[in-house]
Amino acid sequence: MQFDEVGQKYKRTIQSDMEREMKIKTLLMGAIAATAFAPVALAERGADGQVNIIYWQAPSILNPFLSGGTKDTEAASLIVEPLARYDETGKMVPWLVNEIPTVQNGGVSADLTSITWKIKSGIKWSDGSDFTAHDVKFTAEYCMHPEGGCAQVTKFEGVTNVEALDDLTVKVTFGAPTPFPYGPFVGGESPILQQAQFENCTGAKAPECTSANFGPIGTGAFVVEDFKPNDVITLVANDHYRDPLKPAFGRVLFKGGGDATAAGRAVMETGEFDYGWNLQLAPDVIAQMEAGGKGKPVAGFGPLLERIMLNNTNPDPELGPDERSVVRPHPFLGDPAVYNALSLAIDRPLLVEIGYGKAGKVGCNWIPAPAAVNSDTFTCDVQDIAAANKMLDDAGYLDTDGDGIREAHGKPMKMLYQTSTNAVRQDFQALIKQWWSEIGIDTELRNISGSVFFGGDPGSPDTFQKFYADIQMYANTFNGTDPQSYLGHGLCEKAPSPANQWQGENISRFCDEAYDALYAELTNTAGADARAEISRRLNDIIVSKGGMIPLVHRGRLSAHANSLGGVKLNVWDSELWNAADWHRIK
């Protein structure tokens, strides 16, 4: 789509009538977001037949330790579970344990160097075997293996030992006092794997265990029957699930692929599907779909941020695939004058209006929520092309040959800008390309199927972890309300590389000694206010020093059929966190 076409689309969007605007506002400010239906008595497990779920970014693997993609961790959450997770309010709740360990109840040691979890008795794996502390211990060893390429390794930051004290008690020991010891085994990104299934799949062998990675044995409400990567998952109710009346659905059809538009229509217009995830669509499109009468959108704001990641390495293809992961200066993106000018040239309010309406806010920070950790250091809601041009002029980036493109070190300032395939993101690309051309920087656009881009396949050159481009745009989030593990994604040692199966979380390969030192301080700091203050400072370092350009604080927007009960949209954990409670409204 060209710039003029996007502009026309914007004009159509803002010309919506008052009734539709009020409808969207009501939806996204909470009236429709209250999605829990009154509980109903379930006759028996599986009595409600089949539930159909559509994720337009198709899952490519069902082992969340081998993927940084939200689509994969959420699909896996139907099968494998953590010891504790976060509910729809952001509160940590026990899941496979009796209670959340604290200093007050004796579960966390007084010196803050250990946490002990007490597992509920009687929990079974879906193959009928006992779920024990030995599986929990094994999971830690699996993820912490130096050659395993675990995508969730920051969850285990500071852990020195995990031991099974008995079959139902597991103790995690840290190398230093750890005021927030809830990284390991908490939230949908850190579930438990069955030792018997994965014990021969550790280290470098982890990606090779296709059968286990595509069909993990779990404690969740459903069991994989068949998995076609990047396409369809069929699941059946877990006969050994701990609640004999759940799940109400006996089967799950989990369809992947397509696009957000097709997913929204399939739920709200045609009624083919019961739940559609991540409807990254313009607000007028959502309103039109809801008019179909088959379903309704649900929305909520968490820490989800649409951003542009800046490559802190040189992605020149002439360096070879592995060399492109080596941290070396980018030809010009490392200069504050450049990345600040790029940011200044962007009209974020326009991006919000076009892409998200009331489901978006101007985003200036990597960590936009919860409110306590949202920094007030930056303002970014005013576009200033003239100031951006002056900034580049003053820094010596000039257009010496009159072709409209500035030069850096004698070469044209050209960038490859990649993202996943999605109508909103392609609109953003077209607009940003135009704005950057107005400050003398040329941009080539590329989009990649979300199933591939977020897939984590170590053999693919097109994943966001490989980052074979100058800049790339996407959004992700974190579980819970404490951002410690997420902030760990900015550590130097977390950069993806061949050595870690391209599964590091530091996608931009940002590396700053001050950041690493301050993060270490965070891991040893107690008190919510003090932790929030350090978190804001870490946010400021990575934004001000060129790790990324924040764009839009996005609300999570999905949709469910009018006949689907029990849905509680969760922006702090997996959206499918309580699928065991879903049921058909008769």
Side-chain angles (χ1 to χ4, degrees):
M1 185 178 291
Q2 299 300 311
F3 177 72
D4 288 343
E5 294 177 283
V6 177
Q8 289 300 316
K9 180 175 179 180
Y10 169 61
K11 291 177 182 178
R12 292 195 299 271
T13 299
I14 63 174
Q15 289 167 355
S16 56
D17 58 40
M18 183 67 69
E19 180 181 354
R20 191 178 69 193
E21 286 296 318
M22 290 302 296
K23 187 176 185 181
I24 295 171
K25 184 175 181 180
T26 300
L27 157 68
L28 292 164
M29 294 306 290
I32 298 176
T35 63
F37 291 86
V40 298
L42 302 180
E44 61 182 8
R45 176 179 290 152
D48 285 348
Q50 179 170 296
V51 63
N52 298 326
I53 299 171
I54 183 165
Y55 272 45
W56 57 271
Q57 291 178 9
S60 54
I61 193 170
L62 292 175
N63 180 351
F65 292 113
L66 296 184
S67 174
T70 302
K71 63 190 177 63
D72 299 321
T73 59
E74 297 216 348
S77 71
L78 293 168
I79 306 154
V80 289
E81 302 178 299
L83 297 183
R85 66 186 335 148
Y86 299 92
D87 69 11
E88 76 277 16
T89 70
K91 178 184 177 182
M92 192 185 306
V93 293
W95 208 251
L96 302 179
V97 294
N98 294 307
E99 63 180 354
I100 302 297
T102 64
V103 173
Q104 289 72 25
N105 64 26
V108 175
S109 64
D111 64 1
L112 306 181
T113 61
S114 70
I115 182 171
T116 301
W117 297 90
K118 296 283 190 179
I119 298 168
K120 293 178 181 178
S121 63
I123 296 177
K124 301 284 186 180
W125 289 104
S126 57
D127 64 0
S129 62
D130 291 335
F131 174 87
T132 74
H134 303 284
D135 297 298
V136 182
K137 170 182 167 62
F138 167 77
T139 299
E141 294 170 347
Y142 176 93
C143 187
M144 294 170 66
H145 194 292
E147 297 177 1
C150 180
Q152 314 298 344
V153 71
T154 53
K155 303 289 185 187
F156 296 87
E157 198 73 35
V159 173
T160 57
N161 189 41
V162 179
E163 54 187 320
L165 302 183
D166 57 45
D167 284 350
L168 297 179
T169 309
V170 62
K171 180 180 180 181
V172 181
T173 302
F174 300 90
T178 303
F180 188 81
Y182 306 108
F185 319 124
V186 179
E189 297 171 344
S190 190
I192 313 303
L193 300 180
Q194 188 194 57
Q195 180 177 0
Q197 184 182 31
F198 283 90
E199 60 187 346
N200 294 320
C201 301
T202 59
K205 294 180 181 179
E208 301 172 7
C209 292
T210 303
S211 177
N213 293 330
F214 287 3
I217 293 167
T219 57
F222 298 98
V223 180
V224 178
E225 182 179 69
D226 185 46
F227 177 40
K228 294 180 174 62
N230 302 322
D231 189 5
V232 175
I233 314 168
T234 54
L235 305 100
V236 297
N238 177 3
D239 288 337
H240 298 282
Y241 190 63
R242 53 194 173 273
D243 187 328
L245 297 181
K246 297 179 182 180
F249 291 105
R251 297 187 65 83
V252 177
L253 174 68
F254 194 116
K255 180 70 175 74
D259 55 43
T261 302
R265 286 174 177 161
V267 175
M268 292 184 281
E269 292 184 3
T270 70
E272 298 171 74
F273 284 84
D274 296 297
Y275 193 87
W277 164 83
N278 187 26
L279 301 184
Q280 194 175 356
L281 298 166
D284 60 333
V285 175
I286 293 291
Q288 291 165 11
M289 289 180 177
E290 189 186 3
K294 299 288 188 179
K296 60 185 66 178
V298 289
F301 277 94
L304 185 64
L305 179 80
E306 190 80 14
R307 86 289 297 271
I308 289 174
M309 302 299 288
L310 304 172
N311 201 333
N312 279 239
T313 73
N314 187 348
D316 188 342
E318 294 184 4
L319 293 171
D322 290 352
E323 280 294 297
R324 292 161 85 179
S325 73
V326 176
V327 177
R328 54 164 58 85
H330 186 278
F332 53 83
L333 275 178
D335 188 336
V338 175
Y339 57 74
N340 286 327
L342 292 172
S343 179
L344 197 56
I346 296 171
D347 186 344
R348 289 173 178 83
L350 179 57
L351 296 182
V352 169
E353 187 66 41
I354 286 176
Y356 302 101
K358 298 299 182 181
K361 305 174 185 178
V362 168
C364 303
N365 292 306
W366 181 25
I367 312 294
V373 297
N374 186 24
S375 172
D376 60 3
T377 300
F378 309 109
T379 57
C380 63
D381 56 349
V382 176
Q383 180 190 46
D384 195 332
I385 297 292
N389 272 310
K390 184 177 187 305
M391 193 176 292
L392 292 171
D393 289 344
D394 292 346
Y397 297 102
L398 306 175
D399 173 17
T400 60
D401 57 10
D403 65 353
I405 304 172
R406 298 174 185 270
E407 293 95 34
H409 312 295
K411 295 183 179 180
M413 296 177 73
K414 297 183 177 182
M415 300 187 298
L416 175 60
Y417 176 4
Q418 70 181 21
T419 188
S420 64
T421 305
N422 170 267
V424 171
R425 287 194 170 129
Q426 270 66 80
D427 284 353
F428 279 23
Q429 281 186 305
L431 285 167
I432 292 171
K433 174 183 173 71
Q434 172 65 28
W435 293 327
W436 286 348
S437 73
E438 294 175 25
I439 63 171
I441 297 178
D442 189 38
T443 312
E444 176 187 349
L445 305 182
R446 183 181 186 223
N447 65 82
I448 304 164
S449 164
S451 301
V452 175
F453 188 63
F454 298 113
D457 179 0
S460 171
D462 297 323
T463 64
F464 79 120
Q465 294 101 329
K466 289 281 181 74
F467 201 174
Y468 288 165
D470 297 282
I471 60 172
Q472 61 184 3
M473 179 173 65
Y474 61 89
N476 65 10
T477 185
F478 58 90
N479 286 175
T481 57
D482 188 288
Q484 178 178 307
S485 294
Y486 193 60
L487 288 164
H489 295 187
L491 296 172
C492 297
E493 64 181 21
K494 304 304 180 186
S497 71
N500 58 24
Q501 307 289 338
W502 298 100
Q503 290 297 339
E505 305 98 325
N506 184 349
I507 305 301
S508 68
R509 296 170 177 93
F510 174 85
C511 187
D512 184 82
E513 290 184 2
Y515 185 96
D516 283 16
L518 187 58
Y519 180 83
E521 183 179 340
L522 175 65
T523 64
N524 293 310
T525 298
D529 291 345
R531 291 179 62 78
E533 191 271 334
I534 293 175
S535 296
R536 293 193 296 269
R537 288 165 57 196
L538 287 166
N539 170 90
D540 292 354
I541 290 173
I542 205 164
V543 172
S544 65
K545 292 190 175 182
M548 68 183 70
I549 298 174
L551 296 176
V552 178
H553 179 197
R554 284 175 46 192
R556 243 191 238 191
L557 183 65
S558 296
H560 67 81
N562 293 331
S563 64
L564 183 62
V567 175
K568 295 181 180 180
L569 183 71
N570 191 334
V571 298
W572 308 108
D573 206 304
S574 167
E575 284 193 27
L576 306 179
W577 72 292
N578 76 326
D581 297 328
W582 290 6
H583 54 268
R584 187 69 66 198
I585 298 174
K586 303 298 194 286

